[in-house]
Amino acid sequence: MATPNGIYRNGGGVPKGGSSSIKVERPFALNSNVKSSNNKSKLTTSTSNLRRSSPGSLCGGNTTIKDDSGVPGRVRVAVRLRPRNGEEMVADADFADCVELQPELKRLKLRKNNWDSDTFEFDEVLTEFASQKRVYEVVAKPVVESVLEGYNGTVMAYGQTGTGKTFTLGRLGEEDTAARGIMVRAMEDILADVSPEVDSVSVSFLQLYMETIQDLLDPSNDNISIVEDPRTGDVSLPGATLVDIRDQHSFIELLSLGEAHRFAANTKMNTESSRSHAILMVNVRRSVKGREAAISSENGNTSHLVKNSKPGVVRKGKLVVVDLAGSERIDKSGSEGHTLEEAKSINLSLSALGKCINALAENSPHVPVRDSKLTRLLRDSFGGTARTSLIVTIGPSPRHRGETSSTIMFGQRAMKVENMVKIKEEFDYKSLSRRLDIQLDRLIAEHERQQKVFRDELEKIAAEAEDRVSVAERKYSEALENERLQHQKDYKESIKKLEEQWALNQQKCDKENKDLEARAGPSAAASEEIAELKQLLQNEINSRKAAEQETNTVKAQLAQWKRSEAAGNAEILKLRKMLEEEAHQKEKLEEEITILRSQLLQLSYEADETRRGLDKGGSGNGFTGLDSLVSQVRQSQLNESGNGQKGSIAKLFEQVGLQKILTLLESEDADVRIHAVKVVANLAAEEANQEKIVEAGGLTSLLMLLRSSEDEMIRRVAAGAIANLAMNETNQELIMSQGGISLLSITASDADDPQTLRMVAGAIANLCGNDKLQTKLRAEGGIKALLGMVRCAHPDVLAQVARGIANFAKCESRAATQGSKSGKSLLIDDGALPWIVQNANNEASPIRRHIELALCHLAQHEVNAKDMISGGALWELVRISRDCSRADIRTLAHRTLTSSPIFQAELRRLRIDC
């Protein structure tokens, strides 16, 4: 809040020399309810009703949401005394300080006179010798720890102008680290606790000036609206610039940039008095480990697995640090003119804040939150869900006793406000969806592998069974045939022997009969012959029985072979049954995969619904298709009296009409032209208005302004409006036919402002995405204009240049694939390749992503390969295929390298494995 002459500011230390310190008017009327030291018992009784016990210290590592007195979420208040400055030492040399501190008792005495004083108790009393580190630990560190656990937190400084609020909160400490304020120390603790891989920290820096919320990181963003969620009542600022923070150095640079844009003025009370309320918003997003069920596939029960899958938990905490502008009395500060209006606005907003705190402290049924934008912004900090710490700053001078008393009473009432702190958690459906995708792919791959193994095993078993059956049948047939032939042979031989024996016996019998007849020999010889014949007959009978036994043996063997055949058939039937069971199992697995897919679709749908709910309200940036030109244009109603009353764009559009607004683009008054082109630019940001603007001649008027106007603001906004219109393909052809690319090229060569160059580059980048306009765009100098704008070296300008080159390369690649284009790329002909290679690994993510895409698209056309090799692009392609953070770009680069014979030959020559 002030200068090195005794009032704290970013560049000053503890003040030792003097500027004037005059009494200030209290921001709102207070009836002092102060208890004197003689009425100490009454004070103790009233404070005990407020806090139920003596308040504990704000310091330490207590991260619970109840404070040490057992009151959940009570606003904690600390008081800090500024030491006397040089002027006070001279002017108040004969007077004692009006404030006496008792830090060990956490008490403060405010003297009425030499014999009477009022005593107050606070959660912490900080003397003029308290270090910045001590202040941070007792006031802000518990709030920061709560934010890291997923709660909202607020740290706010309140007090008379010149008492050290900005010194306490916003001191950067670039020269002396011990002098760092709460903002810098809080971010240091946050960055030390979060993990860059899974957590994120983003920052917005704003000021509330004359009841208008302005972006300190983008001064052109000067009228940010407040959006309230009708369901939860949460307050957000979707139009504010949001910057991701990775290290402490970048955060300090951001604070320096914002502080340079903050309004300040010289008053009698303070040579550099803040004329606005500064608001730092730090959003911390942390993933909670161990709160989600692990995905395991060891049991193989995929249905049970999906039922037990739980989405991860994300905690979102928001830290709000508010450096209020100092309250002041007009007769003491000497404010005049515009500074007087600023002082009135400051006092009105502080008065509205005091009324809200009074209503909350008294449990009033109505809290006037909507009386001021400050109270709307802080509705979560007082009576909401945030953990809040308030530090009130006071001075010792008796000349300002009234302002000091008002400040102390403000802190006393704030100590009665209780918040219901709540953790901010949500399910991480995106992470769960990614895990389920991976698990589903793995299960499908495992199922396919098992199916292949099963089919191979089944084919192997079937082949073995067929071989065994064929071998058994062949052996059985051979054995049966051999046995049959052998028995047939033996039978024939036996018959032949019997016939021969029978013939011999017949001859012998005939001979013997003749002999018997002739000689009539003795009967004994005949008996012997008969006996011999009987023996031969018995032998024949035995031989026949042996043949029958052998036949039965053969039949038994045949029956055994038949049983073997039946067993083989049974085994075949068993294999067929197994095959049918495997087919049934396959159908069951396919049904489970179908269920998994349906559940995945349901989860994806829920994730999209959740994301749309969280992102409701959008980013709110002004121009569609560009980063942001202005969030809203402050438009004064154009009339002859010039009363300065503000109206919205929509109301102005309804009252005046598009044709009248376009007519104002040709006004002789420069201010009227600026306001009119801003209105047209905001209307062009809505797709529904673009066709009306073109039909009414708005495009022609914008091109005429770009051609004729010498005002940098008009050219910048006109280029942004043309960029919005260039998002439509029909409008792109109209822009080209009316010489728009030539005008944009001339504007690019004449302009030095990064914002103007960003708008021009965005418009040309949109035109580069039209396949039909590429040749004409290049002939009229579009590519040369893009490459010429890299001289600015601004990251936003380079991002738009990279996007235009990527769009142009993509269209060329598509035309080459369709056969409608041949020959080397026009980008290479115009000398864009060296810049592309130089920025392929740019630190800025948008630039690097577009350049990587451009390289991949250029490499898809074989005729560009040699130039890309000689220009060093091959090495970048290899790096992209390996290290690119985006899987789709990495896959495209790898596919391009592997499909190009020229690249493959060069990689083999260099012995690089892609």
Side-chain angles (χ1 to χ4, degrees):
M1 299 210 335
T3 63
N5 288 330
I7 310 175
Y8 304 126
R9 195 65 175 171
N10 284 343
V14 176
K16 294 185 179 179
S19 67
S20 104
S21 180
I22 307 173
K23 277 194 176 181
V24 238
E25 183 181 356
R26 283 179 286 181
F28 41 79
L30 293 174
N31 294 323
S32 177
N33 257 343
V34 189
K35 307 292 184 295
S36 68
S37 59
N38 297 327
N39 297 326
K40 183 177 180 181
S41 60
K42 293 182 181 180
L43 174 64
T44 305
T45 303
S46 63
T47 55
S48 65
N49 292 332
L50 168 66
R51 287 163 286 175
R52 301 182 188 174
S53 66
S54 179
S57 174
L58 292 172
C59 66
N62 179 19
T63 59
T64 61
I65 302 312
K66 284 190 175 184
D67 58 28
D68 50 19
S69 63
V71 180
R74 178 176 64 78
V75 175
R76 310 301 302 271
V77 182
V79 61
R80 187 182 193 187
L81 177 65
R82 172 181 59 78
R84 280 193 178 192
N85 55 36
E87 183 175 350
E88 290 172 345
M89 291 180 180
V90 174
D92 302 335
D94 297 331
F95 300 95
D97 292 344
C98 68
V99 177
E100 178 184 349
L101 302 183
Q102 295 177 333
E104 66 280 357
L105 300 177
K106 296 182 174 57
R107 290 180 182 174
L108 176 149
K109 288 186 177 182
L110 181 64
R111 290 194 178 92
K112 293 182 179 180
N113 45 51
N114 291 335
W115 58 87
D116 193 10
S117 63
D118 294 328
T119 303
F120 303 92
E121 291 186 3
F122 287 93
D123 292 301
E124 192 67 36
V125 175
L126 301 167
T127 68
E128 64 269 33
F129 305 108
S131 66
Q132 292 282 73
K133 180 179 179 181
R134 165 74 174 164
V135 173
Y136 169 73
E137 288 180 346
V138 301
V139 175
K141 189 169 184 178
V143 178
V144 173
E145 291 173 346
S146 296
V147 170
L148 290 171
E149 291 180 353
Y151 298 89
N152 289 345
T154 302
V155 178
M156 188 171 72
Y158 178 89
Q160 180 188 9
T161 182
T163 54
K165 296 184 294 300
T166 302
F167 176 84
T168 300
L169 296 181
R171 182 70 183 274
L172 300 182
E174 295 175 319
E175 297 178 356
D176 182 9
T177 57
R180 292 173 299 170
I182 286 176
M183 292 181 181
V184 178
R185 293 178 184 270
M187 182 56 67
E188 184 178 8
D189 282 357
I190 290 173
L191 292 176
D193 194 73
V194 300
S195 173
E197 292 78 12
V198 296
D199 304 335
S200 64
V201 180
S202 56
V203 169
S204 297
F205 199 15
L206 314 163
Q207 69 175 355
L208 178 58
Y209 175 72
M210 301 284 286
E211 281 301 297
T212 302
I213 301 176
Q214 302 177 358
D215 198 333
L216 290 175
L217 304 181
D218 183 4
S220 60
N221 195 5
D222 56 2
N223 192 6
I224 299 173
S225 60
I226 301 175
V227 177
E228 297 182 14
D229 191 329
R231 183 174 59 86
T232 63
D234 291 341
V235 176
S236 62
L237 303 172
T241 301
L242 199 62
V243 180
D244 290 334
I245 300 298
R246 295 291 182 183
D247 54 70
Q248 187 76 358
H249 178 70
S250 61
F251 176 69
I252 292 177
E253 289 183 346
L254 182 143
L255 286 183
S256 299
L257 175 64
E259 194 64 30
H261 293 149
R262 188 177 176 187
F263 286 101
N266 185 8
T267 67
K268 292 181 179 179
M269 293 289 294
N270 197 336
T271 58
E272 194 177 347
S273 174
S274 298
R275 314 309 292 168
S276 65
H277 308 298
I279 303 164
L280 176 70
M281 294 185 177
V282 183
N283 297 284
V284 181
R285 184 180 188 276
R286 307 192 71 185
S287 296
V288 181
K289 298 180 180 179
R291 294 288 302 277
E292 55 190 32
I295 294 181
S296 172
S297 61
E298 294 178 358
N299 54 7
N301 189 351
T302 55
S303 298
H304 179 70
L305 177 68
V306 173
K307 291 178 183 177
N308 288 341
S309 296
K310 299 293 183 182
V313 176
V314 175
R315 288 181 177 174
K316 292 183 177 181
K318 181 171 72 174
L319 174 64
V320 179
V321 183
V322 185
D323 180 11
L324 295 174
S327 59
E328 59 182 67
R329 286 185 178 176
I330 307 304
D331 56 347
K332 289 186 177 183
S333 63
S335 300
E336 297 177 353
H338 185 68
T339 306
L340 176 60
E341 296 300 322
E342 293 174 339
K344 291 178 180 179
S345 177
I346 292 170
N347 289 340
L348 283 174
S349 62
L350 293 177
S351 176
L353 177 61
K355 291 177 181 178
C356 289
I357 291 179
N358 286 342
L360 290 168
E362 297 170 1
N363 293 322
S364 173
H366 172 67
V367 180
V369 175
R370 294 189 171 274
D371 287 359
S372 170
K373 288 187 177 180
L374 177 63
T375 54
R376 290 180 65 191
L377 286 172
L378 297 177
R379 67 180 302 172
D380 193 45
S381 304
F382 293 95
T385 61
R387 181 174 188 175
T388 301
S389 285
L390 171 67
I391 179 167
V392 294
T393 57
I394 58 176
S397 175
R399 290 181 298 162
H400 303 304
R401 187 191 179 283
E403 289 79 1
T404 301
S405 174
S406 174
T407 302
I408 291 172
M409 293 307 301
F410 179 90
Q412 289 287 294
R413 283 191 299 276
M415 290 175 67
K416 299 179 181 180
V417 177
E418 294 186 11
N419 296 344
M420 295 302 296
V421 292
K422 296 180 181 179
I423 195 167
K424 307 295 181 181
E425 286 188 349
E426 63 182 28
F427 290 118
D428 191 359
Y429 286 105
K430 293 181 180 179
S431 175
L432 176 61
S433 178
R434 287 195 299 270
R435 292 203 317 271
L436 289 178
D437 282 337
I438 295 171
Q439 183 69 9
L440 181 59
D441 292 340
R442 192 185 63 76
L443 288 175
I444 291 174
E446 179 66 19
H447 174 65
E448 291 176 351
R449 186 188 66 78
Q450 291 180 354
Q451 277 190 323
K452 184 177 183 302
V453 171
F454 170 73
R455 285 195 298 269
D456 294 344
E457 187 67 23
L458 188 62
E459 290 175 358
K460 181 179 178 181
I461 293 173
E464 290 179 356
E466 289 178 0
D467 292 342
R468 289 169 59 187
V469 170
S470 61
V471 170
E473 289 179 349
R474 185 173 66 254
K475 289 182 178 180
Y476 172 72
S477 299
E478 291 176 356
L480 187 61
E481 183 66 22
N482 292 335
E483 288 292 333
R484 189 184 66 79
L485 293 175
Q486 182 65 32
H487 285 290
Q488 186 178 8
K489 182 180 178 182
D490 294 342
Y491 179 74
K492 287 180 179 181
E493 290 179 354
S494 298
I495 294 297
K496 185 179 179 180
K497 288 180 179 180
L498 289 173
E499 288 177 349
E500 291 177 354
Q501 186 68 30
W502 183 79
L504 291 174
N505 291 335
Q506 189 67 31
Q507 289 176 3
K508 189 175 182 180
C509 285
D510 291 342
K511 184 178 179 181
E512 289 178 353
N513 288 334
K514 288 179 181 180
D515 291 341
L516 286 173
E517 290 176 357
R519 291 183 286 112
S523 58
S527 298
E528 291 178 359
E529 288 293 333
I530 291 171
E532 186 177 355
L533 287 173
K534 287 181 178 180
Q535 183 65 39
L536 290 173
L537 182 59
Q538 186 64 38
N539 293 336
E540 185 63 28
I541 291 171
N542 293 335
S543 297
R544 186 178 292 277
K545 288 181 178 179
E548 289 177 356
Q549 289 178 355
E550 290 179 358
T551 301
N552 291 333
T553 302
V554 171
K555 288 180 179 180
Q557 291 178 351
L558 179 60
Q560 183 178 358
W561 283 113
K562 286 183 178 180
R563 287 194 297 272
S564 299
E565 183 180 5
N569 293 334
E571 187 173 357
I572 291 174
L573 290 175
K574 183 178 179 181
L575 290 173
R576 288 179 180 172
K577 186 176 180 181
M578 290 175 60
L579 180 60
E580 292 175 356
E581 290 178 354
E582 290 294 338
H584 180 69
Q585 184 68 18
K586 175 183 177 182
E587 293 177 358
K588 185 177 179 181
L589 288 174
E590 289 176 350
E591 290 176 359
E592 290 185 357
I593 290 175
T594 304
I595 293 172
L596 275 175
R597 287 175 176 167
S598 66
Q599 291 175 345
L600 178 61
L601 289 175
Q602 179 65 23
L603 286 173
S604 300
Y605 174 77
E606 291 177 1
D608 292 339
E609 287 296 322
T610 302
R611 182 173 61 253
R612 284 195 292 270
L614 290 175
D615 296 339
K616 200 166 186 180
S619 62
N621 287 345
F623 294 149
T624 305
L626 297 173
D627 292 334
S628 172
L629 176 61
V630 287
S631 295
Q632 282 185 306
V633 178
R634 291 188 301 160
Q635 172 63 40
S636 299
Q637 291 184 344
L638 300 175
N639 48 47
E640 294 179 357
S641 62
N643 55 15
Q645 188 178 7
K646 299 179 181 178
S648 67
I649 297 300
K651 184 176 180 181
L652 184 64
F653 179 76
E654 293 174 359
Q655 293 178 352
V656 179
L658 179 61
Q659 195 62 48
K660 178 64 176 177
I661 295 173
L662 294 177
T663 304
L664 295 176
L665 294 175
E666 301 176 2
S667 173
E668 295 180 0
D669 189 339
D671 291 335
V672 173
R673 287 199 306 275
I674 291 174
H675 291 310
V677 73
K678 287 183 178 181
V679 173
V680 174
N682 278 271
L683 291 174
E686 299 292 334
E687 186 176 357
N689 300 330
Q690 293 180 356
E691 184 177 356
K692 298 177 183 178
I693 293 173
V694 174
E695 289 177 355
L699 176 59
T700 304
S701 300
L702 290 171
L703 292 173
M704 183 65 69
L705 280 178
L706 205 61
R707 179 185 294 110
S708 59
S709 178
E710 296 180 358
D711 188 279
E712 187 68 21
M713 174 69 76
I714 293 178
R715 291 196 298 172
R716 179 193 312 148
V717 181
I722 293 171
N724 279 333
L725 295 176
M727 297 292 291
N728 185 283
E729 185 175 354
T730 303
N731 295 341
Q732 292 174 355
E733 296 177 0
L734 290 174
I735 292 171
M736 292 295 293
S737 64
Q738 295 184 26
I741 193 65
S742 300
L743 291 174
L744 291 171
S745 300
I746 294 172
T747 304
S749 62
D750 295 339
D752 293 322
D753 180 66
Q755 299 298 328
T756 304
L757 292 175
R758 182 180 62 171
M759 299 305 158
V760 174
I764 297 177
N766 291 338
L767 295 173
C768 286
N770 193 320
D771 296 347
K772 304 174 184 177
L773 306 178
Q774 285 211 310
T775 304
K776 186 175 181 181
L777 185 143
R778 187 246 185 172
E780 293 183 9
I783 303 301
K784 292 290 187 183
L786 273 179
L787 295 175
M789 283 185 279
V790 303
R791 73 184 186 277
C792 176
H794 193 281
D796 293 342
V797 178
L798 297 183
Q800 295 299 329
V801 172
R803 185 170 69 88
I805 289 176
N807 288 343
F808 198 96
K810 182 178 181 180
C811 291
E812 277 193 332
S813 174
R814 188 186 302 119
T817 304
Q818 296 172 354
S820 59
K821 181 186 182 304
S822 60
K824 193 164 53 176
S825 169
L826 299 178
L827 290 171
I828 295 178
D829 287 338
D830 282 350
L833 186 60
W835 186 82
I836 292 174
V837 173
Q838 180 183 356
N839 288 272
N841 200 15
N842 196 290
E843 294 180 357
S845 175
I847 301 174
R848 183 175 66 255
R849 184 177 70 253
H850 291 308
I851 291 300
E852 289 173 345
L853 281 172
L855 278 173
C856 292
H857 288 308
L858 287 174
Q860 287 182 334
H861 198 20
E862 193 71 11
V863 73
N864 299 329
K866 292 184 179 179
D867 290 290
M868 295 185 72
I869 291 173
S870 61
L874 178 59
W875 296 100
E876 294 301 329
L877 282 171
V878 172
R879 179 192 60 78
I880 294 169
S881 68
R882 294 176 177 176
D883 302 330
C884 183
S885 58
R886 286 186 49 171
D888 54 342
I889 300 177
R890 190 167 62 247
T891 303
L892 179 61
H894 184 269
R895 186 170 63 247
T896 302
L897 287 173
T898 56
S899 62
S900 172
I902 297 178
F903 286 148
Q904 285 295 307
E906 183 66 12
L907 291 174
R908 284 194 298 270
R909 187 182 70 81
L910 297 174
R911 297 181 180 179
I912 296 175
D913 185 15
C914 182

